[in-house]
Amino acid sequence: MFAYIVRRMFQSVIVLLVVGLVAFSMFRFVGDPIDNMLGQERTQADIDRLRTELGLDQPFPVQYFKFLKGAVQGDFGVSYRQGRPVSTILIERAPATLELAFVSGFLAITMGIALGVFTAIRRQGVAANVIMTVSLLGVSLPTFLIGILLIYVFSIELGVLPSFGRGETVMIGSWSTGFLTTSGLKALILPAITLGLYQMTLIMRLVRSEMLEVMRADYVRFARARGLSDRVINFRHALKNTLVPVITITGLQLGSIIAFAIITETVFQWPGVGLLFINAIQFVDIPVMAAYLMLISVMFVSINLIVDLLYYAIDPRLRVDARAT
């Protein structure tokens, strides 16, 4: 087990280094931040001075290793647009994105597993067929279109939910939360549904497919022959074995919720790190873009590492293979 953890952590570090190198290389082609930071009356001396102050006159390897050195210490430099430390800006924006991702992930996992089990057990029922038909919308429609449709129905036509913003927030230490205010909770509903709908339908269809396959296994038939009740068979035997492959996909989808919150935050003008990244692209704010991509990479790699360890702990076949090798 220890050797497996060390090997996976070493692979994770390599992935992060490669992602950082690729991201930092791409930023050299998105534009020159000097053009946005200086006015029309700038001189060549002003351009050279600012370029030296920002370290943009140094070779690419030097810039990259300076960025990595600062990132390890939590220092991502200063935003070209706001003139403030990037870490401070991210700390201010992170609560909005994390709360949105938490609610979306919770809805996706709980509703996805529950509906997947229901449609598998009642696969011939009318309700199950309706749910499977409606789920095609969640898989087929793009996220921004789902958000626009929800805004049109619940904000414009019905007028019951806000169409943008985060609502009122309450500070708990350095953490701003909208969970403790009515307007904050109402503002969270539409973005959370928009962000979590695709993941929910994907998890639901995966759980249904895996559970139908498990229910055709020999040990399930043997359990029925022993006279066990359907409830025991479905939830103690079938569901337990169904969740083993679902864990991997669910972990990846939780990472996707955070990574792809950019679209949802843009549609609803949600003040999170995704909207911050979009604004940084428009202004060529390289420190903010690099910090965002590195944080998303760390989240993805961390989630994948946790999923691999859970998979290793749950599935005894992996432990047997590890001992054999």
Side-chain angles (χ1 to χ4, degrees):
M1 182 68 175
F2 178 75
Y4 180 81
I5 296 175
V6 172
R7 185 170 64 252
R8 291 295 295 121
M9 293 185 66
F10 177 75
Q11 294 172 352
S12 301
V13 172
I14 298 298
V15 170
L16 289 177
L17 291 176
V18 173
V19 169
L21 178 61
V22 172
F24 208 77
S25 301
M26 291 175 58
F27 294 149
R28 304 187 67 185
F29 303 99
V30 298
D32 190 353
I34 303 298
D35 295 335
N36 295 321
M37 299 178 69
L38 295 178
Q40 296 293 330
E41 304 299 327
R42 64 180 183 270
T43 63
Q44 187 60 41
D46 295 332
I47 295 176
D48 294 338
R49 175 185 55 80
L50 185 57
R51 194 177 298 278
T52 302
E53 292 178 357
L54 297 177
L56 298 177
D57 59 334
Q58 297 176 345
F60 173 77
V62 176
Q63 296 183 42
Y64 175 64
F65 283 109
K66 280 188 174 181
F67 168 75
L68 288 181
K69 181 180 178 181
V72 172
Q73 301 173 353
D75 180 12
F76 296 99
V78 178
S79 169
Y80 295 163
R81 181 187 183 192
Q82 302 185 32
R84 302 166 56 206
V86 176
S87 57
T88 302
I89 300 174
L90 292 177
I91 290 174
E92 293 175 354
R93 294 293 194 105
T97 297
L98 292 178
E99 287 187 356
L100 176 60
F102 172 78
V103 175
S104 301
F106 179 79
L107 291 175
I109 293 174
T110 55
M111 296 298 296
I113 294 177
L115 292 176
V117 172
F118 176 78
T119 53
I121 296 175
R122 309 289 184 184
R123 57 184 179 277
Q124 302 298 335
V126 176
N129 291 326
V130 171
I131 292 173
M132 292 301 298
T133 303
V134 175
S135 69
L136 292 175
L137 296 177
V139 176
S140 305
L141 293 180
T143 301
F144 74 90
L145 184 56
I146 295 174
I148 293 174
L149 290 175
L150 291 177
I151 290 175
Y152 176 76
V153 174
F154 293 99
S155 299
I156 298 177
E157 292 295 329
L158 300 179
V160 294
L161 294 174
S163 60
F164 67 92
R166 195 183 176 195
E168 297 181 8
T169 59
V170 176
M171 295 298 299
I172 302 178
S174 59
W175 185 277
S176 62
T177 179
F179 288 156
L180 301 180
T181 63
T182 302
S183 62
L185 292 174
K186 292 177 64 176
L188 189 60
I189 295 175
L190 294 185
I193 294 175
T194 301
L195 184 58
L197 184 60
Y198 173 79
Q199 281 74 19
M200 183 196 73
T201 54
L202 184 64
I203 293 173
M204 181 198 75
R205 299 177 76 88
L206 177 63
V207 170
R208 179 181 183 273
S209 176
E210 291 293 334
M211 192 159 186
L212 288 176
E213 182 177 352
V214 169
M215 291 175 68
R216 291 192 292 266
D218 292 337
Y219 65 87
V220 173
R221 296 176 182 174
F222 180 72
R224 293 188 186 280
R226 290 178 56 195
L228 297 180
S229 64
D230 289 341
R231 179 169 183 165
V232 173
I233 294 174
N234 292 332
F235 293 98
R236 180 177 299 179
H237 297 283
L239 182 59
K240 179 180 178 181
N241 290 279
T242 296
L243 295 181
V244 173
V246 172
I247 289 176
T248 302
I249 300 300
T250 302
L252 294 177
Q253 292 309 308
L254 292 179
S256 300
I257 285 177
I258 299 177
F260 300 119
I262 295 177
I263 300 175
T264 303
E265 291 185 4
T266 303
V267 172
F268 291 94
Q269 288 299 292
W270 189 263
V273 293
L275 185 60
L276 176 68
F277 179 70
I278 294 297
N279 294 332
I281 292 177
Q282 297 174 352
F283 197 80
V284 198
D285 198 341
I286 294 177
V288 173
M289 291 189 291
Y292 174 82
L293 290 181
M294 285 300 296
L295 289 178
I296 294 299
S297 302
V298 169
M299 291 181 183
F300 255 109
V301 170
S302 300
I303 291 175
N304 286 338
L305 179 60
I306 294 173
V307 168
D308 287 343
L309 296 179
L310 287 175
Y311 208 62
Y312 185 88
I314 293 175
D315 194 344
R317 294 172 297 179
L318 294 179
R319 297 195 293 271
V320 173
D321 292 340
R323 294 191 190 100
T325 56

